[in-house]
Structure formats: structure tokens, C-alpha cells
Amino acid sequence: MLTERQVLILESIIRFYTETGHPVGSKTLMNELSLPFSSATIRNEMSRLEELGFIEKTHSSSGRIPSVKGYRFYVDYLISPEQLPAQEVAKIRSAFGPRYHELDEIVSQSANILSELTNYTAILLGPKMQENKLTGFRLVPLSEHQAMAILVTDQAHVENRTFTIPPGMKLADLETIVKIFNDQLIGLPLTEVFKKINVEIPQILARHLHTDSDLFVDVFGNIITHTIRERFYVGGKMNLLNFSEFQDIEKFKSIYSLMDEGNNLRTLISRKSDGIHVKIGQELNNDLFSDFSLITATYQVVGHGEGMIALLGPTSMPYSKMLGLVDTFRNELADKVSDYYRFLEE
Amino acid sequence: MLTERQVLILESIIRFYTETGHPVGSKTLMNELSLPFSSATIRNEMSRLEELGFIEKTHSSSGRIPSVKGYRFYVDYLISPEQLPAQEVAKIRSAFGPRYHELDEIVSQSANILSELTNYTAILLGPKMQENKLTGFRLVPLSEHQAMAILVTDQAHVENRTFTIPPGMKLADLETIVKIFNDQLIGLPLTEVFKKINVEIPQILARHLHTDSDLFVDVFGNIITHTIRERFYVGGKMNLLNFSEFQDIEKFKSIYSLMDEGNNLRTLISRKSDGIHVKIGQELNNDLFSDFSLITATYQVVGHGEGMIALLGPTSMPYSKMLGLVDTFRNELADKVSDYYRFLEE
DNA sequence: TGTTAGCACTCGATGTTGTTAAGTGCTAAA
DNA sequence: TTTAGCACTTAACAACATCGAGTGCTAACA
């Protein structure tokens, strides 16, 4: 195990490196942080810390930087989330609007707020939809040739799609279709709805209708797919340029397009257990992100499932501060989402 | 006026510079492009061309590059749009989907197609909405506390917004409100609707309703604003990194956020006359874009107004080819949009 | 036995210098 | 009017020296 002095030195190295970004050597450590040992002693200890894998050199005569193992130890045993100053908390609260009409607005704005607060990249996920239950389909005729299909779930999620009505289809037909959809599907979880819509529904429709009804299966199937698919909201993509080693423009582009497409983000963020987790560098299992760390946290909305927050920054981030911030933020966000639902149920 | 030989030399300089990106000198010009004059003669002519402002040096002993005036002359008098190979045209056609349900889908996908085709950044604008006439508001109750407001225009544009119904408001009230909106507003151009909604409507509502109706004025006002606002679709933002002098990361960020916000793009693109226009470097009147050129073109959709295409690339782009491409593209896009409307009116 | 001073060594960063290639303008001859 | 020739300029590049911050190791010290 590490001696107390070794821990102190490791901590100092991480502190210094996080602040300056430069590898740090024995003399600097002694002078700048006025550790009460000689540089030679520190050198010996550093040598030991390197053997143990907590720090490493960038080249044979350079100062040391923390290794993943070093950060890991630091995060797991040496720090605790820093309390956010009241003033910062107020800033978060006032960044949210007073009132939202859709859940997605809250989540997507959260991504922006969090990224601005940290200057890193924020990735947000709303409470998951898969288990929402269908409360109804609506089909609203808009003009002679247009109609809107609307899906509503028991979690107040609304999804809609405008489409063109095939010539020859009558209003009565539309009503029949909606009735069939609703009779068969209301109350089922969306995953079930999705299955049924692709298997049973087409058969039932064929029995009751003479016109071609593929279009409707398509449209409604489409809405369901859209609803079920996890939507990642990414804020501060451009912040990547601040902390990524921006020399490598190609790497930046790869990361950017990963963020932009959104669905591939699952590879990065696994929806596992509760609480706050930190993944450092290679722990992310993705070469692109070997210089990044990711803080992930869930937020609980009682009665409405849980969502996810993630913060992507450089491995050399101020973990203590960021952990505190994410923790506070998830509570604020949970409150905001609760408010939203409460207002709906009032 | 320029002599024929001077024109030939200017043209050669532009060709060479566009291909290689390097300033070009007299000897290179003579060798590489085998002009039938000696380097000394070319030197003299270049000197003259520089005096006249068509070309310039990057430093005292460097080769020459075309100036804005040089490009201007080249674009205006020396080239004509290049015919796009049939194979490329086919590529454009197949890049579009077979069938669209919303106009915005066509336009936004166009932005992607065009940017991929050129490796530049494409900016698209759909036919303008301001003169669309309102054909109806709908208010669809979704659950006890939610409703959707829908706007439909005579150009088949649909815009919608979900909102929460204030507690205590009854279904009958909603119906009254929608009736008033429709009685007052149907058939008016959206700009008119916008004005009335902010002035007369609140008064009328107050006369007929006891509950607070600000929310509805808000919601519908909001939808109108959204509909009227020009939406710029930008494709290939990341391509900026290919041709912008990517040394300057801050500049890139500025441009990116300009593109991202969208509404500021009006400063760059003026919706003026028909046809295809080229703006080169400083002609864009924006320091950020001094190394860029912008090709703008309108596309006509008979009976449904006109839209806009713009292509942003480096000043040293192959104008002839790009002009041809933009010209072809705008025809294809116009066709696609016409198809969309035709299907609706069938 | 743990701590420290001293020293030779390493390596990236930075600066200096020289060389080369591609260009220019100018002059004088064809 | 055109061209050959020449002196001059500049960016780009490579080779080289210098410097600063670091290391490991050894020997002396408390």
C-alpha cells in the first residue's frame, strides 16, 4: 500500500498537473507546493510511485504525469464531491426557464446549461420511453390530402408526424383505421405496440379495409420507432476543441460525428446502476477517447423513471469540483422534471 | 483593357492556383502550362496585371495569386458553368428519397446532399412562408392536461406545438377559442395573422372568455413566429475544417456558431434577384469570410414561390464546375419540390 | 536507515545559422 | 517588343547549439 507521504506526493502531482497541464518534476513540486522534503526524497518516492504504476513519464527525462491508475486512486480514495457555492446553484436554477411544455425541451436545454457551466461537453438522456404505455393514437385531418398522426403515452410524451393521404382514401376509412389501432394497442407498453404493429395489425387492417393500408402501418410504425429510440442531447460539442489535443483535426471530426449521430453514444455510455461514476481514459474502451474522462450520473424522477447525465472532459479535469457540479445538477434537473410532471397531474 | 495575352496569363494563374494552392511564378507558368512566351515576358505582363490589381503577391519575392478583382473578372468574363456529367446528375437524383411527407425534409436533406457532393458547406432555404395564408388552426385535446395546437397554411405547411392546459379550463372554452381564432384569421397571410394575434385577438378573447387566455395567445403567437422565421438548413459544417485555414481555431468556432444559430445567416445571404450569383472574399463584407466565396442561387417552384441555395467554399474554388453543379442542383431540387406539391394536389 | 546534496546525463523546446528553391525587378542585347 | 542574364528577396527546411527542467545514482550525513 502507499505510505502517507506517497499519497501526498501523488495528490500534489495531480493537483499541479490539472492546474498547469505540464508534467511536474521533483524540484517544482518542492518549490511550488512547498512540500517539506528535499527534491531528492521526492525523486525517490516518485520513482516508487512510477514502479507501482500511479504516475508515468512522457519521455526519459521529463516530469511525471498521473496515469489512469493514478487518477483512479485519486478519484476513488482521495477526493469527495466539492460542495457547489450557493451562487453557482442559483445560476443553474435561473438558467432553466420558468415553465416548459415538453420534456425534451428541459433535457436539451440542460445539455446546454451543463456544457456552458463546465466548458466541457454534456450528454443528456431523458427518462426512458420504452416502458411508456400508449394512451392513444389520434389522426387529425388537416386538409384534403394531409393528416397528422399523433401518439400520446401515459408519461405525457407526445410524438407526431404529418403525412399525405393516398388519393381515394376516405375520411371514414381513416376513422376505421384509428379505431383499430386504438382498440388493439391502448394500454400496452410501446415495445409491445411496436411488435404488434408489425405483425398482427397489418392482418387485422387487411380484414377490415379494401384500400391499401401499408402507409399507415409505416407512419405509425415510424412514430413508434422514433419515440422508442433513445435521444441523446449533446451540448457544447465545440468545447471539444478547447480540451481535445486539437492538433489532430481528423480525430476531432470523428468524435464530432459520433456526437452528432447520437445513437452510437450507447457504446460510450452504459446505462448501468445508480449514482455517479467516473471513467478515465482507456477505461472508456475507445481509442478516440483515450485522453478523455467521462462522468456519468443518473437522475431519478419519482414515478417517471430515471434519466442520465454525462460530462465529457479531459482526463486532467478537476474531478472534485466536477463531481460536485454534476451531483448538484442532477438534483436540479430531477426537480425541474418533477415540476413538469406535477404540473400535468395537478 | 487587358490584352489577349494578359487574359491568358491571368487565366493560367487562376487555374494553377486553384489546382495546387501555391502562388505561381513566371517560370512555373511557362514550364507547367507551356505558354509560348519566355518567363521574362510573362514577368513583365504579371507586373502589369499586378499594377491593374488582378493579381497580388504574398511577399516581395513570392509568386502571384489572384486578387478578388482577378477572380471577379475570371468569373464574370472568362468562364461559363460547366455541364455536369450525366453520371453526377444521376447521383443527385438517387440521393433524394422517393417520397417526402414534409417540405422541410426535402430542404434539409438537400443541404446534406449538396455539401457531400462538393465537400463545401451548403446553406438552403425553403420557399418563403410569410405570404402563406392561414387555412386553419386546430386544437387537439390529448389528455386531461395536454393539448396540441396545429397551424395549417395554404401551401400545405404544418406547424404544431404541444402545451399544458391551465387547470380549470374546460373543453368548451377551448372550442370557443379555436373558433374565434379561425373566424378572425383564416385566409389571411401569416404576417397579417401575426399582427392581429398580438393586437385584436386578445381583446376579442377577453370579451368572450372569463378565464385567462394569455397562454393561448402565447402559444399561437409562438407557432406563427416559428413558421414565419426563415429556417436555414446548413449541411457540411465540418467541411469548413477542410478548406478554412484551419490554423485559426477561434475563427472556425465563430463561423460555426454563426452557421449553427442560423438566423444571422441573413447578413451573409441577401435574398435579391433571380439567377446565380457569386460573391468573392471581401465582397461578402464580413471579415470572417475574407477567404471564402459564396455562390447563391434561387430555385423556382411554380405556384409556390422561390427558395434559395448557397454554397460556401474557399475563394480558390473551381468556379466553373461549382456553378454548373449549383445550377443543376437547383433544377433537381425545384423538380423534387414540385413533385411534392403535385402529389398533394392530385 | 532514511534523508539529502551533488553530479552527470537526457530530452524537448527554442533559437541560430546556412542552404536551397522559387520567385522578383532591372538592364542590355537581339 | 521580346528575351537572356544577373543580382536580390523570401519562405521553407535542415543542421546545430543552447538552455531548462527533469532524471538516476552515489556518497555523505543525522
Side-chain angles (χ1 to χ4, degrees):
Chain A
M1 215 42 259
L2 297 185
T3 67
E4 211 166 303
R5 191 167 67 190
Q6 284 168 339
V7 168
L8 176 60
I9 289 175
L10 174 58
E11 211 174 341
S12 305
I13 292 172
I14 294 181
R15 287 257 154 77
F16 188 93
Y17 182 62
T18 303
E19 274 170 34
T20 66
H22 298 304
V24 49
S26 52
K27 239 180 235 163
T28 317
L29 220 48
M30 187 181 67
N31 296 331
E32 303 291 316
L33 302 178
S34 48
L35 297 188
F37 329 105
S38 79
S39 68
T41 308
I42 297 178
R43 266 203 298 287
N44 289 332
E45 294 290 34
M46 284 171 101
S47 177
R48 182 83 188 113
L49 281 170
E50 188 176 10
E51 261 173 49
L52 294 171
F54 289 94
I55 56 179
E56 51 196 32
K57 293 191 259 194
T58 59
H59 63 266
S60 78
S61 75
S62 78
R64 306 303 214 294
I65 60 173
S67 66
V68 170
K69 187 175 173 189
Y71 278 123
R72 186 80 269 162
F73 183 81
Y74 178 72
V75 169
D76 289 345
Y77 302 111
L78 302 185
I79 60 163
S80 55
E82 202 170 279
Q83 180 68 41
L84 210 59
Q87 173 213 1
E88 287 281 300
V89 180
K91 208 164 145 192
I92 294 178
R93 285 199 188 133
S94 68
F96 281 107
R99 169 95 178 273
Y100 291 90
H101 286 289
E102 283 177 70
L103 181 60
D104 285 1
E105 288 175 8
I106 306 180
V107 180
S108 93
Q109 184 159 12
S110 292
N112 292 328
I113 298 173
L114 186 56
S115 72
E116 271 178 37
L117 236 41
T118 56
N119 275 313
Y120 297 149
T121 302
I123 304 166
L124 276 272
L125 205 52
K128 60 178 145 187
M129 298 277 168
Q130 284 92 330
E131 288 144 27
N132 279 17
K133 298 199 181 70
L134 181 70
T135 54
F137 275 123
R138 302 271 189 300
L139 201 57
V140 184
L142 298 175
S143 69
E144 207 176 334
H145 298 281
Q146 284 178 296
M148 180 184 280
I150 308 174
L151 167 156
V152 188
T153 77
D154 63 337
Q155 298 295 317
H157 183 80
V158 177
E159 192 92 18
N160 70 286
R161 190 146 169 68
T162 308
F163 63 97
T164 38
I165 307 169
M169 167 94 38
K170 295 190 208 84
L171 199 66
D173 293 336
L174 293 185
E175 279 162 9
T176 312
I177 292 172
V178 177
K179 186 157 186 328
I180 294 174
F181 271 101
N182 280 328
D183 284 354
Q184 296 291 322
L185 302 171
I186 279 184
L188 298 179
L190 294 185
T191 42
E192 279 303 308
V193 173
F194 183 70
K195 275 184 215 151
K196 277 204 156 187
I197 248 180
N198 288 303
V199 185
E200 298 170 35
I201 297 286
Q203 297 168 5
I204 302 179
L205 282 175
R207 230 176 295 143
H208 289 78
L209 253 82
H210 306 295
T211 35
D212 185 27
S213 59
D214 285 1
L215 172 67
F216 294 89
V217 173
D218 260 25
V219 168
F220 283 101
N222 222 297
I223 295 186
I224 296 276
T225 328
H226 255 83
T227 312
I228 296 181
R229 174 173 301 149
E230 291 180 313
R231 256 160 300 192
F232 289 89
Y233 294 91
V234 181
K237 286 194 276 273
M238 281 302 125
N239 288 344
L240 282 165
L241 283 172
N242 302 339
F243 56 85
S244 135
E245 309 306 320
F246 49 79
Q247 354 146 342
D248 192 344
I249 224 76
E250 281 311 314
K251 191 172 159 186
F252 168 72
K253 279 205 225 167
S254 306
I255 296 178
Y256 180 91
S257 60
L258 192 74
M259 296 285 160
D260 221 28
E261 294 177 17
N263 44 348
N264 303 22
L265 284 173
R266 256 280 149 256
T267 59
L268 207 62
I269 297 168
S270 51
R271 196 198 279 266
K272 43 182 176 191
S273 48
D274 283 2
I276 303 192
H277 296 270
V278 181
K279 286 212 171 187
I280 299 157
Q282 289 99 327
E283 292 177 358
L284 285 165
N285 283 325
N286 186 329
D287 286 349
L288 282 175
F289 294 100
S290 51
D291 302 321
F292 298 104
S293 281
L294 187 76
I295 301 179
T296 51
T298 52
Y299 61 93
Q300 308 291 334
V301 187
V302 183
H304 301 275
E306 65 175 32
M308 190 105 206
I309 294 182
L311 187 62
L312 183 70
T315 38
S316 66
M317 66 166 78
Y319 289 96
S320 165
K321 191 175 164 191
M322 290 302 148
L323 284 171
L325 203 154
V326 167
D327 194 32
T328 305
F329 193 87
R330 70 168 174 166
N331 290 328
E332 293 299 322
L333 174 53
D335 282 358
K336 208 69 201 172
V337 176
S338 291
D339 285 355
Y340 166 78
Y341 282 120
R342 192 170 321 123
F343 194 83
L344 278 178
E345 289 155 8
E346 218 157 50
Chain B
M1 213 43 259
L2 296 184
T3 66
E4 211 166 304
R5 190 167 66 189
Q6 284 166 340
V7 168
L8 176 59
I9 290 175
L10 174 60
E11 210 174 341
S12 306
I13 291 171
I14 293 180
R15 287 258 154 76
F16 189 90
Y17 182 62
T18 302
E19 275 172 33
T20 67
H22 298 304
V24 50
S26 51
K27 238 180 235 162
T28 316
L29 222 45
M30 186 182 68
N31 297 332
E32 303 292 317
L33 302 177
S34 47
L35 298 187
F37 328 106
S38 80
S39 69
T41 308
I42 296 176
R43 263 201 303 285
N44 290 332
E45 295 288 35
M46 283 171 102
S47 176
R48 181 86 187 109
L49 281 170
E50 188 175 10
E51 262 173 49
L52 293 170
F54 289 94
I55 56 181
E56 52 196 32
K57 292 191 261 197
T58 59
H59 63 265
S60 79
S61 75
S62 79
R64 306 304 213 293
I65 60 172
S67 66
V68 171
K69 188 176 173 187
Y71 278 124
R72 184 82 268 162
F73 183 82
Y74 177 73
V75 168
D76 288 346
Y77 302 112
L78 303 184
I79 60 161
S80 54
E82 202 171 278
Q83 180 69 41
L84 210 60
Q87 173 213 0
E88 288 280 301
V89 181
K91 208 164 142 191
I92 295 177
R93 286 199 188 132
S94 68
F96 280 107
R99 168 97 178 275
Y100 291 90
H101 287 290
E102 284 177 70
L103 182 58
D104 285 1
E105 288 174 8
I106 306 180
V107 180
S108 92
Q109 183 158 11
S110 292
N112 293 327
I113 298 173
L114 186 55
S115 71
E116 270 177 38
L117 237 40
T118 56
N119 274 313
Y120 297 150
T121 303
I123 304 166
L124 275 273
L125 206 51
K128 61 178 146 187
M129 297 279 168
Q130 285 91 331
E131 288 143 27
N132 279 17
K133 297 198 181 73
L134 181 70
T135 54
F137 275 125
R138 301 272 189 300
L139 200 58
V140 185
L142 299 175
S143 67
E144 208 177 333
H145 299 281
Q146 284 179 297
M148 181 184 281
I150 308 174
L151 168 156
V152 188
T153 79
D154 64 337
Q155 297 296 317
H157 182 81
V158 178
E159 191 93 18
N160 71 285
R161 190 146 168 71
T162 309
F163 63 97
T164 37
I165 307 169
M169 168 94 37
K170 294 192 208 83
L171 200 66
D173 293 336
L174 293 184
E175 278 162 12
T176 311
I177 290 172
V178 177
K179 188 160 185 329
I180 293 174
F181 271 101
N182 280 329
D183 285 352
Q184 297 291 323
L185 303 171
I186 279 183
L188 298 179
L190 294 186
T191 43
E192 280 303 308
V193 172
F194 182 70
K195 275 183 216 153
K196 278 204 156 188
I197 251 181
N198 286 303
V199 184
E200 297 169 36
I201 296 286
Q203 296 167 8
I204 303 177
L205 281 178
R207 227 177 298 142
H208 289 78
L209 252 82
H210 307 294
T211 34
D212 184 28
S213 59
D214 286 0
L215 172 68
F216 295 90
V217 173
D218 260 26
V219 167
F220 283 102
N222 220 298
I223 295 186
I224 296 276
T225 328
H226 255 83
T227 312
I228 296 179
R229 172 173 301 148
E230 290 179 313
R231 255 159 301 191
F232 289 89
Y233 294 89
V234 182
K237 285 195 278 272
M238 281 302 123
N239 289 344
L240 282 165
L241 284 172
N242 302 339
F243 56 87
S244 138
E245 309 308 322
F246 49 79
Q247 354 148 338
D248 193 345
I249 225 75
E250 281 311 313
K251 191 173 159 187
F252 167 72
K253 278 203 225 166
S254 306
I255 296 178
Y256 180 91
S257 60
L258 192 76
M259 297 284 160
D260 221 29
E261 293 176 18
N263 44 348
N264 303 20
L265 283 172
R266 254 282 150 256
T267 60
L268 205 63
I269 297 167
S270 51
R271 197 198 279 267
K272 45 181 178 196
S273 48
D274 284 2
I276 302 193
H277 296 271
V278 181
K279 286 213 169 187
I280 300 158
Q282 289 99 329
E283 292 177 358
L284 285 166
N285 283 325
N286 185 329
D287 285 349
L288 282 176
F289 293 100
S290 51
D291 302 321
F292 297 102
S293 280
L294 187 77
I295 301 180
T296 52
T298 52
Y299 61 93
Q300 307 291 336
V301 188
V302 183
H304 302 276
E306 65 176 31
M308 191 105 206
I309 295 181
L311 188 61
L312 182 70
T315 39
S316 65
M317 66 166 77
Y319 289 96
S320 168
K321 189 174 165 194
M322 289 302 148
L323 285 170
L325 202 155
V326 168
D327 194 33
T328 305
F329 193 86
R330 68 168 174 166
N331 291 328
E332 293 299 323
L333 174 54
D335 283 358
K336 206 71 200 171
V337 176
S338 291
D339 284 355
Y340 166 77
Y341 282 120
R342 192 170 322 122
F343 194 83
L344 277 179
E345 287 154 9
E346 219 158 48

